[in-house]
Amino acid sequence: MTKFTDLNLNPKVLKAIAEAGYESPTPIQAGAIPPALEGRDVLGIAQTGTGKTASFTLPMITLLARGRARARMPRSLVLCPTRELAAQVAENFDTYTKHMKLTKALLIGGVSFKEQEAIIDKGVDVLIATPGRLLDHFERGKLILSDVKVMVVDEADRMLDMGFIPDIERIFGLTPFTRQTLFFSATMAPEIERITNTFLSAPERVEVARQATASETIEQGVVLFKASRRDREGSEKRKVLRALIDGEGDKCTNAIIFCNRKTDVDICAKSLKKYGYDAAAIHGDLDQSQRTKTLDGFRDGSLRLLVASDVAARGLDVPSVSHVINFDVPGHPEDYVHRIGRTGRAGREGKAITICGPRDEKALVAVEQLIQKEIPRLENPVKSKPVEAKEKPKDEAKEPREKKSAAKSRKSDKSDKPTENKQKPRGRDRHDRDNKVVGMGDHLPSFIALSFAERRAG
Ligand code: AMP
């Protein structure tokens, strides 16, 4: 087995990784670090959780240990699809460079331009950025990319999903032709293949564990769910979610709950909170400080349930997540593998439970085809047991109301709203309130408004 000490890494890097507790390189590290240190381009096909971040960070900082950064001219560039992933790469970078004097800047949305520009002005060794923000800085004329020696593209398949490929192509064009490129993607879609053929030069291809491979330490299950009525789908599904969490009991130390839609992320988090669960939402529309606060809470264990969208949770690195719950089956089957890969990391055990409604069944078939196995069916915890008093929410009578905007986008799901407003007055009351009879327009003969008895008496 390869050892870190066989890899020709800088001794200060070796010291930092020993302190981080890493004993031996993961397969992507063993495969990517040697060619990267030789200055070759690398095409790494690996998903998160495989140690891919270190597979490009470690050689990069070893190469950068020589030489100095010049003002406004970063020596290396790491492009990430999301702010969270960029922030995480920056954290990794800090861990591995703790015994070295390398500087970095993080260019992500939600952080002021001024602050970031001041750092770039001084000169940085590593620039970690999301593509849009990097181009914004470039267009302000504050950034020169002609000194970039190493460029990393991380999670290229996600960049493709998010429509960043034109930005990436543009950035490639702004960096010197002679740069070294380390390119990572979990999948090789034709568009990704095209980019790598265009911008990488004779890359060393390192592929670890097919994208469809879910860790063997993850126990999977799916609950087939059908609402009793269409307009109750949302509230009944949230009830299943709560029952699943309750069913796991103390085994569920923390969980990420994935929803396909942002509106559901908000609704689920609010609903869980209302029912007394320790939950918070994270999705792309929240401001940066809120996202950072929520993620920090989840990382340090003070927040138990993180309700997330795929994009927001991308690359989220929390080493011990006991459970992943899919509130719905993801539309892209690869997302299923990414989602459940948040648990069962580094050989730990994890459990992934998916709720599948009738409309999700096709997506479930696609997931099972991709992972090439059937996900065991679990009993619906709500149907299988009559609701006992202790399983009832503290305030079942008042299912949480959804925020107006969220409710608007799910008009058919009205069951969270209190019912009394919906009841129409019946019989005489109806005349009293409306003073109108259907079909008569405004020309209502006065006797019609009278009751039968009143009419006879009159
Ligand atoms: P990544 O695939 O980059 O998201 O990394 C997944 C997790 O594995 C992170 O928590 C890393 O800190 C950790 N990790 C990376 N390399 C190693 C290693 N060689 N040994 C143990 N843990 C590692």
Side-chain angles (χ1 to χ4, degrees):
M1 197 166 69
T2 322
K3 288 193 240 123
F4 273 118
T5 43
D6 299 335
L7 293 179
N8 268 333
L9 289 164
N10 182 299
K12 289 179 180 165
V13 175
L14 287 176
K15 190 168 176 223
I17 52 182
E19 284 166 9
Y22 300 177
E23 281 166 11
S24 52
T26 64
I28 185 78
Q29 291 161 3
I33 293 173
L37 284 176
E38 283 169 23
R40 294 190 48 200
D41 283 359
V42 172
L43 171 57
I45 303 165
Q47 57 191 34
T48 47
T50 54
K52 70 174 169 57
T53 314
S55 78
F56 60 79
T57 319
L58 303 180
M60 212 171 85
I61 56 188
T62 297
L63 294 169
L64 294 173
R66 283 167 266 140
R68 277 282 141 262
R70 285 189 279 163
R72 292 190 197 171
M73 297 173 92
R75 295 199 292 152
S76 68
L77 184 58
V78 181
L79 294 174
C80 303
T82 64
R83 302 166 181 187
E84 279 75 24
L85 191 59
Q88 213 164 278
V89 170
E91 251 173 55
N92 273 275
F93 178 85
D94 288 344
T95 308
Y96 308 136
T97 55
K98 69 192 254 208
H99 301 297
M100 304 166 87
K101 275 204 189 100
L102 290 177
T103 52
K104 64 146 205 300
L106 183 60
L107 301 190
I108 52 176
V111 179
S112 92
F113 274 97
K114 272 222 157 105
E115 233 172 83
Q116 297 174 319
E117 273 167 9
I119 304 173
I120 297 172
D121 271 351
K122 280 192 228 148
V124 291
D125 297 299
V126 184
L127 196 57
I128 303 162
T130 49
R133 192 63 168 203
L134 180 93
L135 287 171
D136 285 348
H137 276 273
F138 182 79
E139 268 148 26
R140 288 161 70 105
K142 303 284 180 178
L143 188 60
I144 303 161
L145 296 173
S146 55
D147 200 33
V148 169
K149 310 256 179 332
V150 186
M151 171 162 158
V152 176
V153 178
D154 195 13
E155 307 224 347
D157 47 344
R158 183 55 46 159
M159 304 262 198
L160 176 67
D161 288 350
M162 296 173 74
F164 289 159
I165 295 297
D167 285 353
I168 298 293
E169 289 189 74
R170 198 170 152 217
I171 297 166
F172 266 125
L174 297 171
T175 57
F177 180 67
T178 50
R179 63 155 203 272
Q180 179 184 5
T181 310
L182 310 174
F183 191 101
F184 290 80
S185 184
T187 57
M188 285 303 287
E191 184 67 356
I192 304 278
E193 196 90 50
R194 181 185 69 76
I195 299 282
T196 57
N197 290 339
T198 315
F199 296 103
L200 271 62
S201 138
E204 173 84 13
R205 190 181 168 113
V206 187
E207 184 163 1
V208 301
R210 281 175 43 241
Q211 42 120 353
T213 321
S215 161
E216 292 303 316
T217 57
I218 305 172
E219 184 188 340
Q220 301 174 57
V222 60
V223 173
L224 300 178
F225 156 81
K226 190 165 189 308
S228 65
R229 273 182 18 194
R230 225 184 139 172
D231 62 348
R232 290 194 184 145
E233 190 174 331
S235 63
E236 288 184 5
K237 205 170 178 192
R238 291 191 287 279
K239 193 168 179 176
V240 173
L241 172 67
R242 295 193 296 275
L244 286 172
I245 298 168
D246 294 348
E248 293 303 305
D250 293 343
K251 281 184 283 168
C252 178
T253 48
N254 59 351
I256 306 180
I257 298 158
F258 283 99
C259 302
N260 289 359
R261 288 167 290 268
K262 269 185 238 168
T263 47
D264 280 335
V265 171
D266 272 333
I267 295 168
C268 273
K270 284 205 182 94
S271 168
L272 285 167
K273 268 191 261 180
K274 193 97 182 181
Y275 278 84
Y277 295 80
D278 178 22
I282 175 166
H283 58 67
D285 289 350
L286 300 173
D287 72 51
Q288 186 60 24
S289 64
Q290 225 175 335
R291 295 206 282 180
T292 309
K293 199 172 141 232
T294 305
L295 283 180
D296 286 349
F298 192 66
R299 269 202 200 100
D300 70 23
S302 56
L303 173 71
R304 182 178 174 227
L305 305 173
L306 181 72
V307 189
S309 63
D310 286 291
V311 168
R314 187 75 188 174
L316 170 67
D317 180 23
V318 180
S320 51
V321 175
S322 72
H323 286 66
V324 164
I325 302 180
N326 293 315
F327 188 68
D328 6 53
V329 184
H332 300 291
E334 307 82 43
D335 282 340
Y336 177 83
V337 181
H338 287 305
R339 286 181 181 188
I340 74 166
R342 313 284 95 211
T343 179
R345 296 195 126 189
R348 287 188 183 85
E349 298 210 332
K351 191 161 179 181
I353 310 175
T354 301
I355 307 175
C356 173
R359 267 169 290 154
D360 281 345
E361 274 166 20
K362 259 198 192 152
L364 181 64
V365 172
V367 167
E368 291 183 325
Q369 270 171 357
L370 179 75
I371 62 172
Q372 291 178 3
K373 73 177 207 181
E374 196 190 2
I375 304 171
R377 269 46 178 173
L378 307 175
E379 238 183 294
N380 182 334
V382 173
K383 260 196 207 145
S384 60
K385 284 185 249 165
V387 182
E388 291 160 20
K390 78 172 188 2
E391 286 176 338
K392 280 196 173 189
K394 289 161 207 129
D395 48 358
E396 173 137 59
K398 20 181 183 100
E399 247 273 13
R401 273 184 213 221
E402 292 163 10
K403 214 171 123 185
K404 261 191 196 150
S405 62
K408 236 191 268 164
S409 66
R410 295 167 48 95
K411 272 187 193 140
S412 65
D413 180 17
K414 293 176 187 141
S415 50
D416 279 357
K417 290 184 189 158
T419 48
E420 59 278 10
N421 298 340
K422 286 191 264 175
Q423 283 174 358
K424 285 226 161 133
R426 278 191 241 140
R428 222 190 116 114
D429 289 348
R430 187 166 165 211
H431 285 291
D432 290 347
R433 201 188 66 162
D434 298 342
N435 204 22
K436 256 184 198 172
V437 170
V438 177
M440 300 297 282
D442 291 331
H443 308 288
L444 177 68
S446 57
F447 74 92
I448 286 184
L450 301 174
S451 71
F452 185 67
E454 284 166 334
R455 266 185 253 165
R456 284 193 59 169

